[in-house]
Each structure stands twice: as C-alpha cells, then as structure tokens.
Amino acid sequence: MRRLTPWLLLAPGLLLVVVVLLAPVLNTGVMPFASGRAASLYQRFFFGSYNQGVILRTLQVASVTTLVSLALGFTAAYVVSRAPAALKSLLIVAAVFPLLTGTVVRSFAWMVILGRNGMANDALLKLGLTSEPVQLLYTQFAVVVGLVYLFTPLMILSLVGVLENIDTDLPRAAASLGAPPRAVFRQVVLPLATPGLIVGSVLVFTGSFTAFATPQLLGGEEQTVLATLLYQKAMVTLDWNGASTIASAMVVMTVIVVLLMNRLARRLNPASV
Amino acid sequence: MAAPRSPLDRTHPGLIAATAVVYLFLLGPLVIVFGAAFSNTTFLAFPPQGLSLRWFENAFANSAFRASFVTSMQVAFGGTGLALLLGVPAAYAMSRYRVQLPKALSVMFVLPILIPEIVAGFSMLRFLQVSLGLPVVAALLLGHALLVLPYTVRVIGASLAAFDFSAEEAAISLGSPPLKTFVTIVLPNIRSGVIAAFVLAFITSLNDVSISVFLTGPGVSTLPIQILSYVEQFFDPTVASVSVLLMVLTVAVMAAVERTLGLTTFTK
C-alpha cells in the first residue's frame, strides 16, 4: 500500500495529461496515416508551393523575432541586472506586466498603431516621408513587430537571472588584467550568459513559431503562417486531414528545435549538465 | 590619486538609453490602448481628440462581451481549481517520494508546454468534442485545466522543495492521520506557492487564445475569442475599452499578489 501511495497521488494529474493531451495529439498524428493518403498529404504539405511559402515564412518570422528579441532583451536585461535594487524590481515589474496582458490585447495595440489612421502613419505623414498612408498592417513587418513585442519581456526575464548571477569580480579581473571592455564582454560576460541566451531563444523561437493570435490579427491572410493555416484548414475549409498533417509537422519541428538547442547549450556550457 | 574606476563599474550611457527605448516599446502600446479606450471618435486614433466613456458603455451594452466574460471567469476559476486539485497531489508525490518514482514522469507534466498550444487545441476539438461528444463548456474546462497544470505542478513543486518533510513525519509518528497532517502541516507551509500558482494559472487561462479558439462553439465564447472575432468585423474603440477593463483586472490581481507575496514570485 505504501508503495502505491505516490502513484495514487499522481494518477489523477497523469490521467488528465493522457486523456486531454496525449491521446488527442497522438490521434491527430495518426489521422493522416489512417486516411491511407499519408504520403500524398505530407508531399502536398512539404512540396506544395503555397505551403512551402507558409513554412518558409513561419521559419523566417520566428528567426527574425528571436534575433531582434535577443538584441533588445539582452540590452535591457544587462542594464536591469546592474541597476540598484529598487529600480531593478520596478523594471522587472514593468517587464512582467505586459506578459500578464493577453496576446489579443497586445496585438490589438499594434493594430491601433499600425492601422491606416494609426500613429505610425500619422508620424510618417507629418514628417513628410510619405504623401499618403502606407500599408503597414497585414505585412510581415507587422507580424514581426507584434511578436517581438510579445516575446521581449520573456527574453528579459530569462536573461536577468543569469546576468545577475555572474560574479562581478570576473569581468573586473579581466579588465584589471588589461582586457578592453569589448573583449571583457565577448570573452567573459557573453560565455557566462550563454545558458540564459539559449533558454530565452528556445522560448521565443518556439513561441513565435507556433503563435496564433498575433499573425491572425496583424498578418491577415496575406501573411499566413503555420498556426493560422492550421486554423483555416480546421475551422474554415474543414480539411481535417490537411490540418492534422500541419499539426504533426509542427510538433516534430518544435521538438527538433528544442533538442538541437539543448544540445547546443550542453556543448557551449558543459557545467550546466 | 583616487583609485582608478573600472569602466565596467558603471553602465554605458548608450546602453541605458537603449534600455529606456526598449521599455518605451514595451509600455507605450498599452498606454495607447488606454488612450483609445477613452476617445470620442468612431475610429481608432491616438492621441484621442476628445474624452468620453461611450466605448465603455458600448462594451457593457454588448451582450456577447458580457456573456463571454462570464464564461471566461467560469472556465478560469474552474480550470485553475481543477488543475490545483490534480497538481498539488502530483507535486507532493514527486517531492516526497522522489527516490521511488521514475524521472520520466516529470516530462509528462511538461508536455502541455512542449506541445504547441495550437496543435493541442485542434486535437482536443477532434478528440474531446467530436469523438467523445463532450459539451463545449466541459471541453473548455478540461482544456484549460491541462493548459495550466504545468504551472501548478512546477510552482508548488518549488515550494515543496524548500519544505522539510521531517515535520510531517514527526506529526504522523505522533499519530496524526496523513490527510489531516497534509492539511495542517504541509499546506500552510506551501501557502505562498499555492497562491502564486493560482494567480499564474488564472491569468494564463483568462488570456488563452490558441486552445479556446478551437473549443468555443456557437453561443459559447471566452472573452479573448470574442475580442478576436469582434476585431475582425469592426474596427472601433470598443475593444480598447474591453482591453482596459482586462488590464485593470490584471493590475488588481497583481496588486493583491504584491501585497501578499511580492512580485518577484513571478520571476522564479
């Protein structure tokens, strides 16, 4: 009986994961094969020119988003980690607050800014950079801006903890031995921050690779990505075989990215294992 | 001569300026939504040309928004409650009986984070609603409970890691029944973890789009999904005022957490 206790306590939670997630997702993965047309479905998904465009766009959007959030997040996290305690907690709260605001609200904010009568166009007109409103909404630019906006706080929070834990004596020692600031940053701070950089990048890449609300609102049909294509197939054209194919491919691609980044993390930082 | 200060001891002014710009980028858009919510024009513009509350009235008068808010609350409270009910025992079992349990178990509780939400949502639609025939609200409750389960297991697991189980063993060896011991000895010690898990889970559920977009059905919608479909049809400041109300709700929850626990809870 005693040996059973932990299992009895775990069972309800495990049951929820199995019934509500594992079984449904496996069922989705099997669907293209059960239809007997798996080969043609996957072929159409990976080699159809429209779908290929969507796959490439999704990868491109996620990569650019990750790089930009890394640059913005690292800069901010570096300054936050060195700020005096009171200011530091204020800045952390200011990064947490947008995270607690929903993705729909945060994407909507950019619809207001990037719309035809929005602030961005207002500014462009007033500066005389354009004579009539520019199409900003429903472009890849809008999707990337929206996603960077969504994920930069996550990057800041992943990095602040790591940067805080770097012993300040290390960069100081390097500097006192004659390393110029640039070398101190590249050879001391950056390698020590690598685990945080990788964790943050995995979160942002997988998050923007699978994001739905932001591309739906800011990209529209012109900028269809995998998540919005999956939604269209599932709910608009009711092509469930097609939707299942996309769903399985998304899971596989996400898992591959996570595994690759984990391996990279291990190679760059053997101490973290 | 004063000791030479290393240039590393102060932050480069350029970096500080860049950080200020990043924070402007993070908070500015939310300020703009605030401004748009109080505008008196029929189109979305910032800065507002005049102030009015008409869009708040419009939001409250909209029965679809009201109904979806009620559904969102039910699903967020119900889903979070269910996740806590299942997550607390699981976290307890994993901390208390660590040696006897296979390591792979923890992967099961990370699965909801690992599998893309949009894929989970679509699969739940097919499996829970179509194959098993569950009604919309039941499927939403289960879907949201699953979505937030990892938060409850992880946050409560972190509190339990700091708990000294010998206090519990002492009570049991003195004859206290296990369940009573859990409620009177363990639970009070992980109280802050439970509250943090609840808040994190509640807000996650309240904001969820990717799962709900598949599980909501005709006549039953959650607030974010209702906002999504409104924005696709109308482009007026009503949604800005609904967003402001949601943000106020979030601030209220955050303030409550800040007063009881301190906000750094979220960064752990």
Side-chain angles (χ1 to χ4, degrees):
Chain A
M1 181 61 205
R2 273 196 66 90
R3 295 196 42 188
L4 268 178
T5 317
W7 291 103
L8 290 175
L9 291 169
L10 282 166
L14 287 176
L15 191 69
L16 184 77
V17 177
V18 170
V19 174
V20 181
L21 186 69
L22 205 54
V25 169
L26 288 177
N27 194 10
T28 298
V30 171
M31 194 184 187
F33 297 95
S35 74
R37 301 189 290 119
S40 88
L41 281 166
Y42 278 105
Q43 193 180 10
R44 213 170 37 177
F45 174 69
F46 283 109
F47 300 106
S49 63
Y50 178 78
N51 287 345
Q52 255 182 6
V54 173
I55 298 172
L56 287 178
R57 181 182 298 123
T58 313
L59 288 170
Q60 190 178 337
V61 163
S63 313
V64 175
T65 301
T66 308
L67 290 177
V68 178
S69 332
L70 258 179
L72 299 184
F74 191 82
T75 309
Y78 185 72
V79 172
V80 171
S81 70
R82 297 163 61 103
L87 181 62
K88 188 193 286 180
S89 40
L90 185 71
L91 288 173
I92 288 179
V93 171
V96 170
F97 181 68
L99 267 188
L100 297 182
T101 311
T103 51
V104 173
V105 172
R106 285 191 284 161
S107 306
F108 169 73
W110 285 97
M111 292 180 79
V112 180
I113 297 170
L114 299 175
R116 276 188 82 77
N117 301 312
M119 271 175 74
N121 262 316
D122 244 25
L124 290 176
L125 286 169
K126 280 191 186 126
L127 290 170
L129 290 174
T130 172
S131 52
E132 53 185 285
V134 189
Q135 178 72 44
L136 293 170
L137 211 52
Y138 312 124
T139 62
Q140 192 160 325
F141 168 77
V143 178
V144 170
V145 169
L147 289 172
V148 168
Y149 181 63
L150 219 55
F151 289 113
T152 298
L154 208 58
M155 192 66 100
I156 295 178
L157 295 178
S158 318
L159 289 173
V160 167
V162 178
L163 289 171
E164 262 181 345
N165 287 334
I166 294 178
D167 186 346
T168 47
D169 283 346
L170 293 174
R172 262 188 220 144
S176 76
L177 291 171
R182 190 175 296 249
V184 173
F185 180 76
R186 290 238 317 250
Q187 292 173 24
V188 180
V189 178
L190 210 53
L192 289 170
T194 303
L197 289 171
I198 291 178
V199 169
S201 304
V202 170
L203 287 176
V204 174
F205 187 88
T206 52
S208 45
F209 184 71
T210 59
F212 169 73
T214 306
Q216 176 83 358
L217 287 174
L218 300 177
E221 273 184 32
E222 324 270 292
Q223 298 296 328
T224 301
V225 291
L226 285 174
T228 47
L229 185 64
L230 166 55
Y231 177 77
Q232 273 168 29
K233 291 221 187 273
M235 307 301 271
V236 184
T237 55
L238 299 178
D239 170 14
W240 280 20
N241 278 321
S244 302
T245 313
I246 300 170
S248 326
M250 281 178 88
V251 173
V252 173
M253 289 194 238
T254 312
V255 171
I256 289 176
V257 168
V258 172
L259 291 179
L260 279 180
M261 295 297 258
N262 271 340
R263 264 188 88 160
L264 189 68
R266 216 165 292 172
R267 182 173 304 174
L268 290 175
N269 182 16
S272 77
V273 184
Chain B
M1 211 175 92
R5 262 174 69 90
S6 154
L8 288 156
D9 284 344
R10 68 195 157 79
T11 312
H12 194 281
L15 283 178
I16 294 178
T19 302
V21 173
V22 172
Y23 272 91
L24 190 71
F25 169 70
L26 291 185
L27 300 173
L30 299 179
V31 174
I32 288 166
V33 171
F34 244 88
F38 290 96
S39 75
N40 63 354
T41 47
T42 52
F43 54 90
L44 279 156
F46 185 88
Q49 287 156 16
L51 295 178
S52 84
L53 291 175
R54 60 187 279 204
W55 301 110
F56 284 93
E57 286 165 25
N58 208 22
F60 279 112
N62 186 318
S63 61
F65 278 133
R66 285 205 314 264
S68 63
F69 176 74
V70 173
T71 310
S72 271
M73 283 293 155
Q74 287 168 339
V75 169
F77 273 111
T80 304
L82 183 59
L84 280 174
L85 221 53
L86 305 180
V88 172
Y92 173 82
M94 285 198 282
S95 316
R96 176 83 167 71
Y97 303 93
R98 183 168 319 192
V99 278
Q100 307 169 28
L101 293 170
K103 239 182 146 184
L105 267 179
S106 52
V107 176
M108 285 293 280
F109 291 103
V110 187
L111 223 48
I113 294 177
L114 203 62
I115 291 178
E117 256 188 71
I118 190 96
V119 173
F122 169 61
S123 306
M124 287 175 196
L125 164 70
R126 290 188 45 229
F127 196 77
L128 299 180
Q129 282 183 3
V130 178
S131 300
L132 299 182
L134 285 184
V136 172
V137 176
L140 271 173
L141 264 175
L142 287 176
H144 281 233
L146 177 94
L147 173 71
V148 301
L149 185 68
Y151 296 97
T152 64
V153 173
R154 219 180 60 191
V155 175
I156 293 166
S159 311
L160 280 168
F163 175 69
D164 183 359
F165 284 101
S166 55
E168 187 195 23
E169 275 159 29
I172 290 180
S173 71
L174 290 172
S176 164
L179 188 63
K180 189 183 171 202
T181 314
F182 180 78
V183 174
T184 54
I185 309 281
V186 183
L187 216 47
N189 276 292
I190 57 166
R191 185 179 138 268
S192 64
V194 176
I195 297 174
F198 178 86
V199 169
L200 216 55
F202 187 84
I203 291 176
T204 305
S205 163
L206 193 64
N207 287 329
D208 173 72
V209 176
S210 298
I211 286 182
S212 310
V213 81
F214 289 102
L215 299 182
T216 47
V220 185
S221 195
T222 61
L223 191 53
I225 305 306
Q226 189 56 39
I227 295 178
L228 201 65
S229 68
Y230 188 92
V231 169
E232 282 170 351
Q233 295 165 51
F234 312 98
F235 201 57
D236 68 36
T238 310
V239 166
S241 37
V242 178
S243 303
V244 165
L245 295 173
L246 262 175
M247 278 193 264
V248 170
L249 189 68
T250 309
V251 171
V253 173
M254 275 178 90
V257 177
E258 170 66 37
R259 286 187 58 178
T260 47
L261 304 169
L263 271 171
T264 39
T265 317
F266 287 113
T267 61
K268 277 175 198 155

